[in-house]
Amino acid sequence: MYSEKVMDHFEHPRNVGEIENASGVGTVGNAKCGDIMRIYLDIDDDQIIRDVKFKTFGCGAAVATSSMATELVKGKSIQEAMEVTNKAVMEALDGLPPVKVHCSLLAEEAIHAALWDYAERHDIKIEGLEKPKSDIHEGEEEEEEEY
Ligand code: FES
């Protein structure tokens, strides 16, 4: 049911962890399955993604897609990272079963959420980037709560 690449990234996920003082952090969740994914980006002054880490509280496909997504954006420019869509991640993993496609969307959204956070902090606009819908803001005590 799962490709060898999916199993490999599930069993040996790359770039697991967190980055202290990250340039951008994005946390997204899927309301239906309850899975959560957080991506940390370390972006240098030339807007190159020097490092990336993730934490995923979710299914095996979500872990594998997060792992592959981090591999695909590492060392890339912001614009190149924008091209890492869920389709690109799935292709790199040699596909996912249809019922697991939504898991790969979480990885794309988490990267976009982290880029959005980076753009907001630096007061810049990233072409083609829209505010992620399922962005979960956590630990932002300084922000006023909205209900
Ligand atoms: Fe929710 Fe995979 S089942 S992300």
Side-chain angles (χ1 to χ4, degrees), residues 30 33 35 59 61-62 100 102-103 106:
N30 181 302
C33 64
D35 291 351
C59 73
K100 289 287 169 185
H102 77 270
C103 316
L106 216 49

Tab-separated table of all heavy atoms in Angstrom, residues 30 33 35 59 61-62 100 102-103 106, ligand 1:
chain	number	residue	atom	x	y	z
A	30	ASN	N	-5.150	19.443	10.838
A	30	ASN	CA	-6.277	18.996	10.033
A	30	ASN	C	-7.434	18.716	10.985
A	30	ASN	O	-7.335	17.849	11.857
A	30	ASN	CB	-5.891	17.737	9.248
A	30	ASN	CG	-7.028	17.252	8.380
A	30	ASN	OD1	-8.111	16.958	8.861
A	30	ASN	ND2	-6.777	17.171	7.093
A	33	CYS	N	-8.890	14.808	11.064
A	33	CYS	CA	-8.178	13.700	11.721
A	33	CYS	C	-7.503	14.161	13.004
A	33	CYS	O	-7.058	13.347	13.801
A	33	CYS	CB	-7.149	13.083	10.778
A	33	CYS	SG	-5.846	14.222	10.311
A	35	ASP	N	-4.675	15.682	13.276
A	35	ASP	CA	-3.206	15.659	13.214
A	35	ASP	C	-2.635	17.070	13.130
A	35	ASP	O	-3.240	17.970	12.547
A	35	ASP	CB	-2.744	14.839	12.011
A	35	ASP	CG	-3.048	13.363	12.209
A	35	ASP	OD1	-3.437	13.002	13.336
A	35	ASP	OD2	-2.910	12.594	11.252
A	59	CYS	N	-0.310	10.882	11.628
A	59	CYS	CA	-0.224	9.540	11.054
A	59	CYS	C	1.116	9.328	10.340
A	59	CYS	O	1.892	10.268	10.138
A	59	CYS	CB	-1.368	9.335	10.074
A	59	CYS	SG	-1.139	10.251	8.550
A	61	ALA	N	1.763	8.716	7.229
A	61	ALA	CA	1.895	9.451	5.968
A	61	ALA	C	2.241	10.912	6.244
A	61	ALA	O	3.000	11.537	5.496
A	61	ALA	CB	0.605	9.358	5.163
A	62	ALA	N	1.705	11.453	7.330
A	62	ALA	CA	2.018	12.842	7.688
A	62	ALA	C	3.487	12.962	8.087
A	62	ALA	O	4.160	13.928	7.724
A	62	ALA	CB	1.120	13.312	8.831
A	100	LYS	N	-4.838	9.107	1.742
A	100	LYS	CA	-3.772	9.768	2.510
A	100	LYS	C	-3.274	11.051	1.856
A	100	LYS	O	-2.303	11.659	2.317
A	100	LYS	CB	-2.592	8.799	2.687
A	100	LYS	CG	-2.901	7.669	3.651
A	100	LYS	CD	-2.907	8.221	5.057
A	100	LYS	CE	-3.451	7.247	6.055
A	100	LYS	NZ	-3.546	7.835	7.383
A	102	HIS	N	-4.604	13.948	1.809
A	102	HIS	CA	-4.762	15.132	2.670
A	102	HIS	C	-3.583	15.291	3.629
A	102	HIS	O	-3.271	16.394	4.059
A	102	HIS	CB	-6.083	15.080	3.447
A	102	HIS	CG	-6.073	14.149	4.605
A	102	HIS	ND1	-6.426	12.826	4.505
A	102	HIS	CD2	-5.727	14.326	5.908
A	102	HIS	CE1	-6.316	12.247	5.686
A	102	HIS	NE2	-5.890	13.131	6.552
A	103	CYS	N	-2.924	14.192	3.950
A	103	CYS	CA	-1.779	14.254	4.866
A	103	CYS	C	-0.640	15.069	4.231
A	103	CYS	O	0.068	15.798	4.921
A	103	CYS	CB	-1.276	12.860	5.200
A	103	CYS	SG	-2.588	11.690	5.561
A	106	LEU	N	-0.977	18.831	4.508
A	106	LEU	CA	-0.554	19.391	5.790
A	106	LEU	C	0.896	19.878	5.702
A	106	LEU	O	1.237	20.937	6.218
A	106	LEU	CB	-0.686	18.298	6.865
A	106	LEU	CG	-1.130	18.675	8.265
A	106	LEU	CD1	-2.363	19.538	8.268
A	106	LEU	CD2	-1.370	17.425	9.097
B	1	FES	FE1	-4.368	13.058	9.360
B	1	FES	FE2	-2.741	11.691	7.920
B	1	FES	S1	-4.580	10.984	8.788
B	1	FES	S2	-2.566	13.739	8.487
